[in-house]
Amino acid sequence: MTPEIFNCVGDFAGDSLQLAKEAARTDANIIVQAGVVEYAAKEWNSDTVLFLPDQYLAKNVAAMTDIKIVTWAGSCEVHERFTADDIRELREGNPGVIVLAHPECPPDVLAEADFAGSTSGISNYVKENQPDTVVLITECSMSDNVATDNPKVNFVRPCNLCPHMKRISLPKILNSLQTMEHKVEIDPAVMDKARQAIERMIALPLTRQSMYSHERKPEVMAIETRLRLTQSNILIVGAGVAGLYTALKLAPRPVTIITARPLGKGGATPWAQGGLAAAIGEDDTPNLHFADTMQAGAGLVDPEAASVLVDGGAAAVEDLVRLGVEFDADADGVLQLGREAAHCRNRIVHATGDQAGAAIMDVLISAARASNHITILERIVVEDLLVDDNNAVGGALVYDVQADERASVDASETVLATGGLGGLYAVTTNPLPAQGHGLAFAARAGAVIRDPEFVQFHPTALDIGVDPAPLATEALRGDGATLVNEDGRPFMVDYNKAEDLAPRDIVARAVEAEIKAGRGALLDATKAIGKAFPDAYPTVFASCQNAKIDPRTHFIPIAPAAHYHMGGVMTDINGASSAEGLWAVGEVASSGVHGANRLASNSLLEALVFGARIADQLREKETTPRHEPGAPGDRMDLASKPADPIAMMKLRAAMSSGCALIRSADSLHMTLNVIHDLNSDPAMTSGLKSALVTAELIVQGALMREESRGGHYRSDFPDADEEAFHTEICTTGDITSQATIADDAAAKALIVARKAGVASATAELVDAVEGTGAQIVCTRKTTPGLRAFEKYAVRCGGGGNHRFGLYDAVMITDNHIMASGGITNALTRARAGVGHMVKVEIEIDRLDQLDEALAGGADVILLDNMSIDDLTQAVKHNNGKAVLEASGNVTVDTVRAIAETGVDVISSGWITHSAPNLDLGLDFF
């Protein structure tokens, strides 16, 4: 037993037999017993109610008696490791063997055993029967004790150690003997948890019937029990479009959805006005949709993810129609398509004008409630993820609002569909509870968080003093509405050639600039939409009416508002995060389709396409229970409540002031100061803690990105870097004791990066080519799992990155050239696929290939393993037409000569994959 049980709360301590005898002697009405109870159980009468902290032990005792039993839904981690297959293999290897097991083993194991009982019972069995060979299915040390008592018997002992029993050490025993001091110092918080657990145990029989009673089924159950009865080991957290659609596509695999509020309430999906982007028009193609998505993402969209997204558009629309969504159509049933900013074609599918989100949600809710494979648990608030000893996610720590108690929800696979984080800002179009808790859960569980700094601000929220701010959908501008100042002058012509249909980040900053300049910003829909406004956009019209504005005849006052988070939990093309057992879909995920700036109405499509991909992965997946997953200890000390309103007001003001549309190092550090002050707030709650974690992830990401790109604008770094790169943040364990990244984490990371072997190796090459104009860059050859760190270290060493990932550039090598039928064909196909927003690089190893590469329009030509003479001739022949990169045989001794040929770039795999490591203690990570 752990010390808090053994020393603090136990009235009697002993081995299983002693516990059983003491329990049989006592006249207590309620007995809380940790140990095997087969001896005492037969002595108790049918009025006894017994609590057992092990579901398998409870089943075993229930089979022997008529006693009512209340059980914890968990089991012993040691005995859980044994399987029936293990026993069958042992029998095959030891003919005639007798198998003896503890009753805490799973039922299939006990079914294979010859005898099940306590340690004393097993020992007595061996003494009485004296078998030749015995297999002991129990903890190693306990089986050693039995073997010691029976030296003439041959014992086979599969070794499973109990880590809790092993806390008792010889030094501790020696100290007790020397000092005769038996007191065990226990953290007061741990002792309090133990006391609360015992109190709950004692209260349970008074309100709940036994789940193993032979007489009747339980009328009221703990939440863990309710979830286990669903026979589902897949858990979805969140019930918006992403969560519901994923659950529906999992059919017939059982799945459980938990949602903090009644289904359809409190989420952002019903507020989605724009619609669903899909290339289904006669003049449209997925390739055009792909090009628009890539361009909007400002160099950070993953081409593979974008291709999956746009190719899935038509199927997603068809599936929703099949489910019952009634999209807007003409008299002939042809879907009506609208246009929004940065789309080159009309491809937005609407429902009841500006009510697409609500229409889709209504249908998905009805379908989910009617599906037998889906269990929906409402008013269950997730506080954190459970993680086991192997760093795998195994469910969630939750708060049951109705029962007013915490519980753990075990799951083999957990899908986050928790939505966005606009509620962290003072002006937002999101529901106020949307505070990015899912991002905090994933970060604390060790998952990689990608690009948290990219927050999209919708340029046209209604500026009417309502919190959250109603949204004036972008479709209004797609239908011809224009942005004007208070004089009625259209102002977007001053900011971008696309004018009112420019990407959102550009429009939002233009609106912000007009407001700060005192000229005001309004939306003029009087001519383009006019009398049709109430029918075409009923939601916006109702919001205007509530503010005493008639948009048919008057301009609509607008202001930018936090609207969508492009960053999130990094996932692969199938929705899996970097943490085992954890998946993410929807706004909480960074699937790669949005990059630095989301293309309008791609978000609903993303939720559908990638939700279906997750379902495809999990539908037939063989899952196993996670090993004793647990929640972070500090979470248990906090109240299971939302963030304090006053604290959130301070946080929202700080985020809007220092980490919104326009940022700087000074403003970001001021925001960090507020976050750190709030971490010491006496009103700290579980909800506030998660909000602060996510807020700091955004701020730290913004500090690390010393450039301006997409939705992230730094006034102190107004230009974009030549090479696009991702920000990836990963924490191991808790972020800090205060659940935030340490104040100087970025500075410490920079110090380590500058002193690490990668940075030192890079600096050595950079120093060697000084004065030649050549740049040293790394290659793709980085350590698995450390790509972001090593590529950053290269930059700290004075070098650059050849590319950060496959989203940065198309790289054509000799196998691509052969497959395409030549250099020209390869370049033509590559350019057709990605347009001119992504650089195209081709690798050649002969001089006679150079002319064809230049004629094909390659942006970069990699000269692979060429001699110094060939490099010199290539530079002369190129005459500045393309960037020339030399690669191969790059060492400290040769790099100077290579640089003096005049090449622009020299790439070296050695600086990352062969650089020596410095032996530094990284305790602060």
Side-chain angles (χ1 to χ4, degrees):
M1 288 292 100
T2 53
E4 62 265 29
I5 300 294
F6 195 88
N7 294 289
C8 296
V9 298
D11 296 301
F12 182 86
D15 64 22
S16 297
L17 180 58
Q18 291 172 316
L19 290 177
K21 289 180 177 179
E22 181 66 17
R25 285 195 294 265
T26 183
D27 58 359
N29 294 322
I30 299 171
I31 300 170
V32 180
Q33 181 161 332
V36 180
V37 296
E38 62 177 320
Y39 297 99
K42 296 172 183 177
E43 302 292 328
W44 295 332
N45 60 46
S46 60
D47 293 329
T48 303
V49 178
L50 178 69
F51 177 91
L52 291 176
D54 186 292
Q55 59 173 325
Y56 299 137
L57 176 62
K59 290 178 181 177
N60 186 271
V61 174
M64 297 188 300
T65 72
D66 289 328
I67 295 173
K68 303 180 190 67
I69 299 173
V70 176
T71 183
W72 173 57
S75 56
C76 170
E77 64 186 80
V78 177
H79 295 88
E80 184 79 52
R81 295 184 206 135
F82 294 108
T83 67
D85 288 338
D86 293 338
I87 297 180
R88 286 189 283 267
E89 289 179 11
L90 287 167
R91 285 193 188 278
E92 290 175 4
N94 301 275
V97 71
I98 298 297
V99 178
L100 309 178
H102 262 166
E104 288 94 334
C105 292
D108 59 340
V109 172
L110 295 179
E112 292 285 338
D114 298 297
F115 174 82
S118 69
T119 305
S120 299
I122 289 174
S123 184
N124 290 336
Y125 180 95
V126 174
K127 288 178 181 177
E128 292 171 6
N129 295 280
Q130 289 295 300
D132 293 331
T133 304
V134 172
V135 171
L136 292 178
I137 306 299
T138 184
E139 201 270 345
C140 281
S141 301
M142 301 176 79
S143 62
D144 288 342
N145 294 338
V146 176
T148 301
D149 292 339
N150 299 275
K152 294 181 179 180
V153 178
N154 178 36
F155 286 90
V156 179
R157 303 192 296 279
C159 190
N160 279 337
L161 287 170
C162 175
H164 308 296
M165 292 180 178
K166 297 306 171 283
R167 291 177 182 174
I168 302 170
S169 64
L170 287 175
K172 291 181 181 177
I173 295 173
L174 177 62
N175 181 67
S176 295
L177 292 172
Q178 290 173 338
T179 63
M180 295 306 293
E181 174 60 63
H182 305 294
K183 182 179 179 182
V184 178
E185 294 294 339
I186 299 172
D187 186 287
V190 175
M191 192 181 303
D192 187 55
K193 283 194 295 182
R195 178 187 57 76
Q196 292 175 6
I198 294 296
E199 288 176 351
R200 287 197 299 273
M201 292 175 188
I202 292 173
L204 278 170
L206 305 179
T207 58
R208 296 179 172 91
Q209 293 297 326
S210 163
M211 69 177 292
Y212 293 120
S213 170
H214 299 298
E215 300 167 340
R216 54 184 178 274
K217 293 290 184 182
E219 297 174 358
V220 182
M221 302 180 193
I223 184 171
E224 333 176 64
T225 307
R226 282 193 278 141
L227 287 173
R228 286 180 178 276
L229 291 182
T230 67
Q231 298 181 339
S232 165
N233 55 10
I234 298 177
L235 174 67
I236 296 179
V237 181
V241 161
L244 290 175
Y245 193 74
T246 302
L248 287 167
K249 300 301 284 186
L250 272 165
R253 181 76 178 259
V255 59
T256 298
I257 300 175
I258 54 178
T259 172
R261 293 165 190 82
L263 209 56
K265 306 294 183 182
T269 301
W271 297 12
Q273 295 180 7
L276 177 69
I280 57 177
E282 292 184 358
D283 63 342
D284 202 1
T285 67
N287 282 345
L288 290 173
H289 190 183
F290 174 87
D292 289 345
T293 299
M294 295 293 293
Q295 184 167 358
L300 287 182
V301 174
D302 180 348
E304 184 182 8
S307 180
V308 167
L309 177 80
V310 300
D311 288 345
V317 172
E318 291 174 4
D319 201 29
L320 290 180
V321 171
R322 178 187 62 81
L323 288 170
V325 177
E326 296 182 2
F327 290 113
D328 295 345
D330 61 20
D332 297 325
V334 178
L335 294 180
Q336 295 179 329
L337 304 177
R339 185 179 300 193
E340 294 183 1
H343 287 274
C344 69
R345 294 288 189 274
N346 289 0
R347 65 168 66 101
I348 313 303
V349 183
H350 298 285
T352 319
D354 58 2
Q355 297 178 350
I360 294 172
M361 274 297 291
D362 287 345
V363 168
L364 294 184
I365 289 172
S366 297
R369 290 200 185 279
S371 298
N372 293 331
H373 74 288
I374 299 176
T375 298
I376 302 169
L377 296 175
E378 301 169 86
R379 302 193 73 197
I380 305 297
V381 181
V382 174
E383 296 190 66
D384 228 321
L385 295 176
L386 305 179
V387 179
D388 70 8
D389 292 339
N390 298 315
N391 295 321
V393 173
L397 173 72
V398 303
Y399 172 69
D400 186 340
V401 176
Q402 184 173 355
D404 189 25
E405 66 180 11
R406 274 189 172 119
S408 62
V409 181
D410 294 343
S412 298
E413 305 292 336
T414 302
V415 182
L416 282 181
T418 51
L421 47 72
L424 296 176
Y425 288 86
V427 182
T428 180
T429 62
N430 294 174
L432 299 187
Q435 296 167 4
H437 289 189
L439 207 63
F441 303 156
R444 286 164 61 86
V448 173
I449 307 301
R450 182 167 61 189
D451 299 333
E453 65 273 23
F454 289 121
V455 180
Q456 187 175 78
F457 288 78
H458 199 290
T460 56
L462 270 60
D463 189 12
I464 55 177
V466 177
D467 186 22
L471 178 66
T473 173
E474 206 157 42
L476 287 162
R477 284 178 283 133
D479 276 353
T482 56
L483 294 165
V484 299
N485 58 27
E486 290 177 350
D487 295 331
R489 176 182 174 273
F491 59 76
M492 279 307 301
V493 66
D494 301 330
Y495 293 93
N496 191 271
K497 63 181 180 181
E499 299 182 15
D500 294 284
L501 294 180
R504 280 184 175 175
D505 62 305
I506 295 173
V507 178
R509 285 194 289 273
V511 171
E512 180 85 349
E514 292 294 308
I515 293 173
K516 287 187 174 180
R519 294 186 289 269
L522 304 102
L523 186 65
D524 177 9
T526 56
K527 301 181 183 64
I529 301 167
K531 294 180 180 179
F533 209 119
D535 294 327
Y537 299 98
T539 304
V540 182
F541 186 77
S543 296
C544 290
Q545 290 289 91
N546 290 337
K548 310 300 182 184
I549 298 170
D550 188 342
R552 295 169 294 189
T553 56
H554 292 80
F555 297 165
I556 306 169
I558 55 154
H563 182 61
Y564 192 87
H565 187 222
M566 279 80 69
V569 182
M570 186 178 75
T571 66
D572 64 15
I573 200 69
N574 294 313
S577 79
S578 61
E580 183 181 351
L582 181 64
W583 308 70
V585 63
E587 191 170 352
V588 72
S590 174
S591 65
V593 301
H594 301 309
N597 198 22
R598 176 185 68 122
L599 183 66
S601 289
N602 266 357
S603 49
L604 280 177
L605 180 61
E606 177 199 22
L608 300 171
V609 170
F610 286 89
R613 291 181 75 87
I614 290 176
D616 289 342
Q617 296 298 307
L618 294 180
R619 193 178 301 109
E620 304 296 334
K621 181 179 174 66
E622 293 186 9
T623 58
T624 56
R626 300 300 175 187
H627 180 60
E628 293 281 333
D634 58 354
R635 180 69 69 180
M636 305 302 293
D637 300 328
L638 301 176
S640 300
K641 294 180 179 179
D644 177 71
I646 296 177
M648 277 306 300
M649 181 177 66
K650 295 177 182 177
L651 177 61
R652 295 178 72 192
M655 292 293 287
S656 289
S657 175
C659 191
L661 272 168
I662 300 175
R663 306 159 173 178
S664 67
D666 289 343
S667 73
L668 293 169
H669 281 296
M670 289 176 64
T671 306
L672 275 182
N673 290 337
V674 174
I675 292 171
H676 295 162
D677 288 345
L678 288 172
N679 269 307
S680 302
D681 194 308
M684 177 65 71
T685 64
S686 187
L688 178 58
K689 186 170 190 174
S690 293
L692 291 172
V693 170
T694 299
E696 183 153 1
L697 285 168
I698 299 169
V699 177
Q700 293 285 9
L703 276 170
M704 287 188 279
R705 184 171 291 278
E706 295 182 338
E707 63 157 356
S708 292
R709 183 181 299 274
H712 167 79
Y713 183 83
R714 289 278 297 266
S715 59
D716 47 353
F717 293 96
D719 299 321
D721 281 2
E722 291 184 7
E723 296 185 23
F725 62 93
H726 284 291
T727 303
E728 295 178 2
I729 299 176
C730 181
T731 65
T732 54
D734 203 0
I735 297 181
T736 71
S737 60
Q738 295 298 320
T740 60
I741 300 170
D743 297 4
D744 55 350
K748 288 178 178 177
L750 180 62
I751 293 170
V752 172
R754 288 190 180 279
K755 291 184 177 179
V758 172
S760 300
T762 305
E764 196 171 2
L765 293 182
V766 170
D767 291 343
V769 302
E770 184 177 3
T772 65
Q775 183 188 25
I776 300 297
V777 301
C778 60
T779 68
R780 62 178 175 81
K781 299 174 181 177
T782 54
T783 305
L786 295 178
R787 180 182 64 183
F789 180 81
E790 290 184 349
K791 285 184 175 286
Y792 182 56
V794 168
R795 295 162 72 92
C796 291
N801 302 139
H802 176 273
R803 61 181 178 186
F804 206 86
L806 296 176
Y807 39 78
D808 285 347
V810 172
M811 181 66 188
I812 302 173
T813 60
D814 53 358
N815 57 327
H816 303 124
I817 294 171
M818 291 177 62
S820 301
I823 291 175
T824 300
N825 287 343
L827 287 169
T828 300
R829 292 178 64 180
R831 188 64 74 189
V834 300
H836 291 274
M837 295 302 295
V838 178
K839 69 180 179 182
V840 176
E841 179 170 358
I842 191 165
E843 176 184 319
I844 64 174
D845 53 16
R846 304 193 316 271
L847 275 177
D848 60 5
Q849 297 172 313
L850 181 60
D851 280 336
E852 191 175 359
L854 289 171
D859 298 306
V860 182
I861 301 175
L862 189 151
L863 310 172
D864 188 39
N865 283 305
M866 288 192 179
S867 66
I868 297 296
D869 290 341
D870 285 350
L871 289 174
T872 303
Q873 291 185 50
V875 171
K876 183 177 180 180
H877 191 72
N878 177 59
N879 196 27
K881 297 184 183 73
V883 173
L884 294 185
E885 176 182 337
S887 181
N889 194 33
V890 177
T891 67
V892 176
D893 297 329
T894 63
V895 70
R896 180 77 188 186
I898 296 172
E900 288 176 343
T901 64
V903 294
D904 302 290
V905 178
I906 301 172
S907 56
S908 168
W910 167 76
I911 57 179
T912 51
H913 75 75
S914 298
N917 294 321
L918 277 174
D919 185 12
L920 295 178
L922 304 183
D923 295 339
F924 50 81
F925 276 152

